[in-house]
Amino acid sequence: MTDDKQNNLGEHRLDEKVINVLGAYHQRIDEERGVARQEAPGGRDGGQDQRMRAVGPETGRFLNILVRSLTAPTILELGTSFGYSGIWLAEAARATGGRLITMEVHGYKSAHAQTMAEKAGLAEHIDFRVGDAVAMIRELRGKVDFVLVDLWKDLYLPCLEAFYPKLNAGAIIVADNMIYPVTEDVKIYARAIRAKPGITSVLLPIGSGLEVSRYEPV
């Protein structure tokens, strides 16, 4: 999908700074597709993983539209990575008077994401946090209106248990990679969130598969 076509999806246009930053990310995504996946030196927590593993433009635009349906939302992103999905979320936060809290275990990834957010003119709408996601969720003050779950899959369920008590009425939760790659961890998450009181949920074939859930207190 070209940036020009992507920019004309939905009911709004992105500004030039955001388009340029997304374009740089898309170039990197395209380059990754031509390279075989390799385990990063030191393993997943070694702090040397340079692969973006980004949600891609289709999912990014969908997230943006969902957030734009809310009023002044507090958005929680679990798994900043190099900041691609955060651009889509922060652009919507700016448009709706909301704010994005994004969490990442690796400081070098969070720093790159912050640099890109500054280039996009969105940094003031983002609170970058580095550390253990479950612990940081538990420390959150206030409640949240939107959650993107896109970190290591074995953390999906622990994160759900941590953020579920912090959901506002009408909150939307989106979990990525629910169709591809198929893992037992995402299956466990899907069963768990659908069993939570007040949750309605649907699996959508967008990108790598999105479990989209909404919370209404019972």
Side-chain angles (χ1 to χ4, degrees), residues 82-125:
F82 289 101
Y84 175 79
S85 52
I87 296 296
W88 288 105
L89 294 171
E91 196 278 338
R94 179 174 65 182
T96 56
R99 69 180 182 124
L100 168 63
I101 302 168
T102 183
M103 298 179 173
E104 171 58 44
V105 69
H106 291 306
Y108 72 98
K109 290 184 177 181
S110 183
H112 181 89
Q114 186 164 355
T115 296
M116 297 298 275
E118 290 168 354
K119 291 180 179 179
L122 296 170
E124 65 183 281
H125 303 281

Side-chain angles (χ1 to χ4, degrees), residues 67-205:
V67 174
R68 278 174 169 261
S69 72
L70 304 173
T71 301
T74 297
I75 306 156
L76 176 61
E77 179 183 33
L78 304 177
T80 308
S81 188
F82 289 101
Y84 175 79
S85 52
I87 296 296
W88 288 105
L89 294 171
E91 196 278 338
R94 179 174 65 182
T96 56
R99 69 180 182 124
L100 168 63
I101 302 168
T102 183
M103 298 179 173
E104 171 58 44
V105 69
H106 291 306
Y108 72 98
K109 290 184 177 181
S110 183
H112 181 89
Q114 186 164 355
T115 296
M116 297 298 275
E118 290 168 354
K119 291 180 179 179
L122 296 170
E124 65 183 281
H125 303 281
I126 309 175
D127 179 359
F128 293 91
R129 302 189 184 185
V130 177
D132 176 83
V134 175
M136 290 191 292
I137 293 167
R138 289 172 178 160
E139 294 169 359
L140 276 178
R141 296 181 179 179
K143 296 203 171 186
V144 298
D145 304 287
F146 188 98
V147 184
L148 173 61
V149 186
D150 188 22
L151 68 176
W152 295 107
K153 309 315 167 199
D154 59 328
L155 294 176
Y156 274 35
L157 181 59
C159 284
L160 168 62
E161 299 299 338
F163 70 67
Y164 176 76
K166 298 178 181 292
L167 296 174
N168 273 323
I172 298 171
I173 308 100
V174 179
D176 192 30
N177 297 117
M178 297 301 294
I179 295 176
Y180 177 81
V182 178
T183 70
E184 189 60 30
D185 288 316
V186 300
K187 293 178 182 178
I188 291 170
Y189 170 86
R191 291 193 295 267
I193 195 166
R194 292 181 180 216
K196 290 291 186 186
I199 290 287
T200 55
S201 198
V202 61
L203 178 62
L204 299 180

Side-chain angles (χ1 to χ4, degrees), residues 20-38:
N20 289 341
V21 167
L22 288 175
Y25 276 123
H26 293 155
Q27 181 178 352
R28 184 170 173 180
I29 291 170
D30 289 342
E31 291 171 354
E32 281 191 0
R33 287 175 180 160
V35 179
R37 290 178 178 268
Q38 295 180 345

Side-chain angles (χ1 to χ4, degrees), residues 2-15:
T2 66
D3 291 320
D4 182 62
K5 288 180 180 178
Q6 158 202 294
N7 189 44
N8 285 285
L9 293 175
E11 299 178 352
H12 61 277
R13 292 183 61 84
L14 304 175
D15 68 34

